[in-house]
Amino acid sequence: EKFQEVLARCEAEQAQMGGGARGGVSDEDDEDEDEVDSEEDAVLVEKPMTELTLNDDDEAAGDGGEDDGGRDGAFDTSKLKAKLRKRGKSTMKKAGPAAAAVSSKPSERKGRKWGRDGRLQAEEGDAEALDYTSESQREARYEKVEGKSMMDEDSEDEYEVKETGWLGTMMKKMNISGNASLASTDVKPILETLKEKLIGKNVAEEVAQKIVDSVESNMIGKKLESFTRVTTAVTKAVEDALTKILSPGRNINILQEVEASRREGEPYSIVFIGCNGVGKSTNLAKVAFWLMQHGMKVMIAACDTFRSGAVEQLRTHTQRLGVELFEKGYEKDPANVAREALKKAKENGCDVLLVDTAGRMQDNEPLMRALSKLINMNNPNLTLFVGEALVGNEAVDQLTKFNSRLIELSPQDPPHRIDGIVLTKFDTIDNKVGAALSMVYISGAPVIFVGCGQTYSDLRRLNVKQIVSVLLE
């Protein structure tokens, strides 16, 4: 039957009943009703149920009384209600708005929404800090970490680049003595082999190509001194090129800069940025451990208000290190948290403020705007990009996009940009050290820290001579 006919019949039946007692439904009737076609049920329920309200009186009436649904041509609403009760509340919700209103409305989960302006769009009820740390965890006492950071143990050992192996073998076949000038045919085969070896050591392909092209252009037409071999000349040219790349113009001495800020009565702030899972929080704690050994009073700001467990992770580090933690829980604007932390660090006489941020992919525009907002609002003394030593070409893409977005979104001149690099997981790569070369070449920023283990002392400086030696092995 058509829907309108069913509706008219239902209304007529309700008028005849005149609000009288509704009949019950027997077990036999229930079994018969189970055989009703599901599509026909949907037609009957769709409109009429918008007029029905299920309450305690309805349930009581449905449990007893005689069956009034035996009349010919009558639409028995009591049977329909009993059938719907049997199916459960989920069916009642789908039946119509009135039925859905009977059940309690489930609470909606508040999501973290970032606007294109980089701000965290808070909703009503988001103000509550989502910190799941128990009181026992907050008051936990850890044994204070002892030891000495490897940052102060590194020495500038001399590493000699040997001409043996693949490079020496190639070059020994091409000896030139006297005052002869080098041609492209003399050096190109060697440099092509060099390019393949650099890529094999995890140097990004475009970086390896640019290095080879640069060395080739400098070598062509160059006259060698008497009895000088091509092997020696090319080895020296490549070594000089790699050393120059790994030793950018800006020399960052954090300890000296912290002392300068201390004399001015201002805390020295360092922001750690990077992609997800590269080790920002862990290496931030290592840096704090190193600074403490030089008599610096350190505070750590928990500005990763997004990742579950980020605040608790930093709390554990600060309890073990014995430094102060500034945190406002979760679902907060990281830029505002950093600003409050900077004020608190100054009030407490802290020398250094280390700011932890949430990991984000380089293509996530809203999160990149949020990061830029944090940096532009707080003007940190140092912005460090944390990257893995395991990656090759991906390192170039990450660093390039992070740096470009910071520059594009910076309102000041000169713009904010990445000042230095923290290279993590360096102990896992054997001789695949090319990521350091790629990152420095792309950004022009030096590698300041190298993470090489899982303890607080496992932090080193980048030994440029050793890296060059490994790349040319």
Side-chain angles (χ1 to χ4, degrees), residues 309-384:
V311 175
E312 290 80 4
Q313 180 184 9
L314 286 181
R315 180 174 292 114
T316 301
H317 283 310
T318 55
Q319 288 173 340
R320 297 196 65 193
L321 293 171
V323 301
E324 187 175 354
L325 173 67
F326 184 90
E327 55 93 4
K328 289 293 184 179
Y330 296 93
E331 302 289 349
K332 301 298 189 300
D333 188 340
N336 291 333
V337 176
R339 181 174 57 184
E340 294 179 31
L342 200 56
K343 293 179 181 178
K344 191 67 173 179
K346 185 175 181 178
E347 292 174 2
N348 294 358
C350 295
D351 302 313
V352 184
L353 175 67
L354 304 179
V355 180
D356 185 35
T357 62
R360 66 206 73 212
M361 297 308 296
Q362 63 270 25
D363 296 317
N364 192 321
E365 181 64 17
L367 292 184
M368 291 305 299
R369 287 183 175 273
L371 177 63
S372 178
K373 177 189 174 184
L374 184 151
I375 293 175
N376 294 333
M377 180 185 293
N378 296 282
N379 294 311
N381 298 96
L382 208 59
T383 301
L384 299 183

Side-chain angles (χ1 to χ4, degrees), residues 70-128:
R71 306 175 192 174
D72 295 332
F75 180 79
D76 193 346
T77 57
S78 61
K79 285 187 177 182
L80 178 60
K81 287 183 179 181
K83 188 173 183 64
L84 291 175
R85 283 198 300 271
K86 186 176 180 181
R87 291 183 179 179
K89 292 183 179 180
S90 60
T91 307
M92 288 295 294
K93 291 179 182 179
K94 296 178 182 179
V102 176
S103 61
S104 60
K105 184 178 180 181
S107 59
E108 296 180 359
R109 181 182 182 273
K110 298 295 183 180
R112 304 178 176 102
K113 298 181 181 179
W114 297 87
R116 292 192 63 82
D117 59 352
R119 297 183 179 182
L120 181 62
Q121 297 178 343
E123 297 181 1
E124 184 180 356
D126 282 351
E128 183 180 357

